[in-house]
Amino acid sequence: MASVAVKGNILIIDDEKSVRMTFQKLLEKEGYTTHGTESINNAIEIIDKRCIDVIFADIVLNQTSGLEILSYLKEQQLAIPVIIITGQPDMNTAAEAVKLGAYDYIIKPLPPFKLLHLARNAVEKKRLNEEWQQIEGLKSDYMHRLEKEVALQTVKIKEGERRYKTLIEQSLIGVFILMDLNLRFVNVKFAELFEYSKEQLEDDFNITKIIRFNNQVTFKEIKEIIRKKSYYFSEVTGVTCNNRELHLELWLSHIIYEEKLATQGIVIDITERKRLQLKQKEMELDLMNQYKLAIIGQLATGVAHNLKNPLSNLLGYTELMHKKHPGIKEIAKIESQIKRMTHIVDTIMRKTHREHAMYTTNVNLNEIVRDEITFLEANLDYKHGVKTTLMLKEDLSDIKAIYSDISQSLQNIILNALDAMYLQNEKRLTITTDEDNIYVYLNVQDTGCGIARENIEHIFDPFFTTKPLHSSGNSSEPVGTGLGLASVKQLLTAYNTQFHIESIVNEGTTFMIKFPK
Ligand SMILES: Nc1ncnc2c1ncn2[C@@H]1O[C@H](COP(=O)(O)OP(=O)(O)OP(=O)(O)O)[C@@H](O)[C@H]1O
Ligand SMILES: [Mg+2]
């Protein structure tokens, strides 16, 4: 590139006026603006005021050295090229000057062309330097902006990634991607649901190991359904790593994953929902049963009430007969049986009455057991053959209850035990009471026919019975309606009692009740 005439501001520091003037004239003729001074201090003033492009400085000034200007420029971080003028050809001084940052040096006397050449180069160097600095400035500005932009984009990408992760990984539904039947991606929820680690499942795990497609549909058929309807939906059973069963809703559709056709799916755990539905059904059934019992209760009260008048008439007549025929002993027996019937009727009426007015008293289980056994003495089956053992804990704590709730429950349980021993050779009834800090225990044990395993869960159901409804001629054969234990359960649930039944077919049954104190 052809060099362009470079004009600029040149400062000459020299204590020899004649030299200074010659320099200045020569340079000005060439179009430069020049400034001349003989001292460093003056030179500094000029530099501070004006924009100097090049400095010529004599190395030997009056008391000082032209080199001092170099330290000043360095201190002020001014990039002005300095050409040192030296009187003798002392190479050491010249080299030192360059080391200190001088642009060049010249030796007096100078040929004018060399001076001009140096001046032009130095000015050009300064300009280039300035341009370079400008470009550097622009570059660093640009880099700075670029870095900022990159940082901003990175934050945006990270934010996007974070959102995606939160959405997919923290999602409440299980998300997965399948290649054929092998899992390629699962989210955290999916892994948690099936109790595996993400890594285990993402290692080409076969999905049929953990999801059973309920209606025997093949994966090929599923793919066909997705192709036609764009999705597949079904309720399926899941099996976790720990063999727990899950009820799941499964949705499948097709996607392109890693440039291949794949299947994406979501699963929603509906195990809890199913459980609640089942519980609700059970509760509805319970309510229906309670309703049935209530109706039977009303009927029984009606029957009991209507029996009361004929019974009291009968009692009156027997008393009359007793007076007329004091010799007939059987009349007294009839009288006592009528009294028993009246008592039963009274109990029924009391019970229904109590259902409206609930009053609890301190009840002692030992007393009730003794009463019930006395009451049963009249039962022929009982009299003939059943051995009774009472193992009642001394000073047993009372429980707060309505007396007949407990007595009728116990009676039903004992009657069942007697019925169960009807055909057994060995008939033993053992009633035990006990207590600890929290509970009072009542056990009724028999050596009867036992309860078949499949029946145990039904014995409290209303109308569940294994006995005929009517006797087939043999008056001592047990009959039943299947309401005994249903009413026991209903009467005792109010006391938060717990039941436990142990039974071996043909060996006997133990019926245990825990009453919270
Ligand atoms: N101790 C027991 N030994 C063997 N089976 C029993 C015993 N207790 C109850 N069961 C079984 O439970 C069923 C239901 O008993 P529950 O007392 O409710 O009705 P039931 O005795 O058949 O009729 P109901 O008590 O109304 O006269 C009985 O039919 C019997 O099969
Ligand atoms: Mg019964």
Side-chain angles (χ1 to χ4, degrees):
M1 207 187 356
S3 72
V4 188
V6 182
K7 307 301 168 207
N9 268 325
I10 297 181
L11 170 64
I12 295 141
I13 316 166
D14 199 317
D15 52 358
E16 272 183 66
K17 194 174 176 195
S18 59
V19 177
R20 235 170 40 219
M21 295 308 285
T22 321
F23 271 27
Q24 281 186 264
K25 252 190 206 153
L26 195 65
L27 291 166
E28 275 176 11
K29 231 172 119 188
E30 277 298 307
Y32 294 103
T33 310
T34 65
H35 309 274
T37 178
E38 53 188 19
S39 78
I40 291 291
N41 285 349
N42 266 344
I44 289 175
E45 260 178 45
I46 296 169
I47 293 167
D48 285 350
K49 275 190 204 135
R50 297 173 211 281
C51 177
I52 299 298
D53 292 312
V54 175
I55 300 170
F56 284 86
D58 193 355
I59 198 160
V60 188
L61 298 171
N62 277 335
Q63 307 293 324
T64 54
S65 157
L67 292 178
E68 276 179 30
I69 202 69
L70 289 172
S71 5
Y72 176 75
L73 293 178
K74 198 168 176 189
E75 205 180 277
Q76 299 295 314
Q77 294 185 340
L78 292 168
I80 305 172
V82 178
I83 296 149
I84 297 295
I85 309 163
T86 163
Q88 321 93 1
D90 177 351
M91 288 319 282
N92 282 345
T93 329
E96 194 196 345
V98 173
K99 222 191 257 170
L100 284 172
Y103 167 65
D104 211 339
Y105 63 93
I106 47 172
I107 300 159
K108 283 194 238 177
L110 334 154
F113 80 92
K114 186 137 193 221
L115 176 76
L116 290 176
H117 180 73
L118 265 176
R120 188 167 55 234
N121 279 358
V123 168
E124 198 168 54
K125 175 182 154 95
K126 176 148 191 274
R127 293 269 152 84
L128 283 175
N129 209 12
E130 278 167 1
E131 264 170 40
W132 180 79
Q133 264 178 0
Q134 218 176 354
I135 291 170
E136 276 298 300
L138 281 176
K139 202 170 102 187
S140 99
D141 206 42
Y142 174 73
M143 288 303 283
H144 189 65
R145 269 191 289 139
L146 197 71
E147 272 166 22
K148 248 173 122 177
E149 185 63 17
V150 168
L152 197 78
Q153 289 304 328
T154 315
V155 168
K156 274 189 185 165
I157 290 169
K158 281 211 173 126
E159 173 67 7
E161 214 174 81
R162 200 182 58 78
R163 271 194 212 149
Y164 149 81
K165 271 209 167 140
T166 318
L167 192 73
I168 297 293
E169 294 293 8
Q170 306 300 314
S171 158
L172 290 175
I173 55 181
V175 179
F176 62 90
I177 294 175
L178 282 180
M179 279 288 189
D180 293 322
L181 282 168
N182 297 332
L183 287 166
R184 282 297 171 82
F185 165 83
V186 300
N187 71 345
V188 174
K189 181 70 192 180
F190 189 92
E192 272 175 12
L193 212 59
F194 288 93
E195 297 169 337
Y196 282 95
S197 75
K198 220 166 125 61
E199 293 71 31
Q200 276 174 310
L201 292 175
E202 282 175 348
D203 188 20
D204 271 354
F205 196 94
N206 191 300
I207 197 166
T208 55
K209 282 192 208 158
I210 51 172
I211 288 182
R212 281 190 224 131
F213 294 96
N214 293 346
N215 32 13
Q216 304 294 317
V217 55
T218 65
F219 195 59
K220 208 173 152 201
E221 286 164 342
I222 289 177
K223 275 183 163 177
E224 195 50 35
I225 295 170
I226 300 176
R227 219 176 49 75
K228 280 191 192 143
K229 287 206 320 187
S230 87
Y231 73 91
Y232 170 80
F233 167 76
S234 173
E235 277 191 17
V236 295
T237 309
V239 185
T240 73
C241 184
N242 300 313
N243 258 328
R244 264 192 329 115
E245 271 205 0
L246 302 169
H247 288 280
L248 302 171
E249 267 182 10
L250 170 78
W251 299 79
L252 296 175
S253 67
H254 282 154
I255 52 158
I256 299 295
Y257 182 70
E258 288 170 354
E259 290 162 30
K260 284 187 204 137
L261 183 70
T263 309
Q264 72 168 347
I266 57 171
V267 283
I268 303 169
D269 183 10
I270 53 164
T271 316
E272 187 59 17
R273 200 200 299 166
K274 279 264 152 150
R275 202 183 59 79
L276 287 177
Q277 277 172 359
L278 224 72
K279 206 169 161 192
Q280 196 175 341
K281 263 199 188 142
E282 265 173 25
M283 274 165 64
E284 277 167 15
L285 217 75
D286 241 37
L287 266 175
M288 259 173 61
N289 286 337
Q290 277 182 25
Y291 175 72
K292 278 187 207 159
L293 283 177
I295 298 227
I296 292 157
Q298 279 172 18
L299 271 172
T301 323
V303 172
H305 185 80
N306 292 342
L307 279 177
K308 269 209 79 121
N309 285 344
L311 280 175
S312 67
N313 286 346
L314 274 177
L315 204 63
Y317 286 125
T318 41
E319 271 167 13
L320 213 67
M321 273 169 76
H322 192 54
K323 272 184 193 155
K324 275 190 183 170
H325 311 282
I328 308 176
K329 279 180 191 153
E330 280 78 6
I331 295 177
K333 281 186 183 165
I334 295 172
E335 202 182 310
S336 97
Q337 288 305 310
I338 295 171
K339 278 185 181 158
R340 247 187 83 196
M341 282 161 75
T342 315
H343 176 72
I344 291 169
V345 167
D346 280 346
T347 315
I348 293 172
M349 305 247 316
R350 241 201 349 262
K351 176 176 145 48
T352 32
H353 176 70
R354 192 207 53 229
E355 263 154 26
H356 299 285
M358 304 272 276
Y359 47 90
T360 42
T361 52
N362 281 340
V363 170
N364 191 282
L365 280 183
N366 287 352
E367 266 172 38
I368 295 188
V369 171
R370 284 195 198 99
D371 281 358
E372 288 307 314
I373 293 299
T374 324
F375 183 70
L376 284 168
E377 302 263 88
N379 184 311
L380 284 179
D381 289 325
Y382 181 70
K383 255 186 190 164
H384 300 286
V386 177
K387 275 191 210 135
T388 308
T389 314
L390 300 186
M391 291 161 59
L392 309 179
K393 184 178 181 280
E394 254 180 64
D395 301 324
L396 187 76
S397 305
D398 288 344
I399 51 170
K400 289 214 179 320
I402 295 161
Y403 188 90
S404 55
D405 282 353
I406 313 293
S407 67
Q408 282 184 17
S409 299
L410 181 64
Q411 198 181 71
N412 281 332
I413 293 164
I414 295 174
L415 284 175
N416 282 346
L418 296 182
D419 285 353
M421 293 188 287
Y422 162 66
L423 288 174
Q424 302 296 100
N425 293 328
E426 198 199 4
K427 304 177 192 201
R428 259 188 300 120
L429 177 70
T430 312
I431 303 180
T432 318
T433 56
D434 204 352
E435 71 183 308
D436 57 23
N437 289 337
I438 316 167
Y439 299 104
V440 176
Y441 300 89
L442 170 69
N443 292 0
V444 177
Q445 190 181 10
D446 64 58
T447 53
C449 58
I451 309 169
R453 184 183 284 265
E454 66 270 21
N455 286 345
I456 286 203
E457 59 182 303
H458 298 297
I459 60 172
F460 288 100
D461 294 351
F463 304 109
F464 175 83
T465 180
T466 52
K467 301 164 195 171
L469 202 58
H470 307 287
S471 154
S472 57
N474 181 349
S475 62
S476 54
E477 179 194 6
V479 291
T481 51
L483 286 172
L485 290 183
S487 76
V488 168
K489 191 174 175 189
Q490 210 194 16
L491 291 174
L492 297 189
T493 347
Y495 306 104
N496 283 327
T497 47
Q498 293 171 33
F499 302 98
H500 181 69
I501 291 116
E502 274 171 17
S503 187
I504 300 173
V505 172
N506 274 327
E507 280 190 25
T509 303
T510 309
F511 203 102
M512 293 168 253
I513 310 177
K514 271 168 48 172
F515 294 88
K517 275 185 166 173

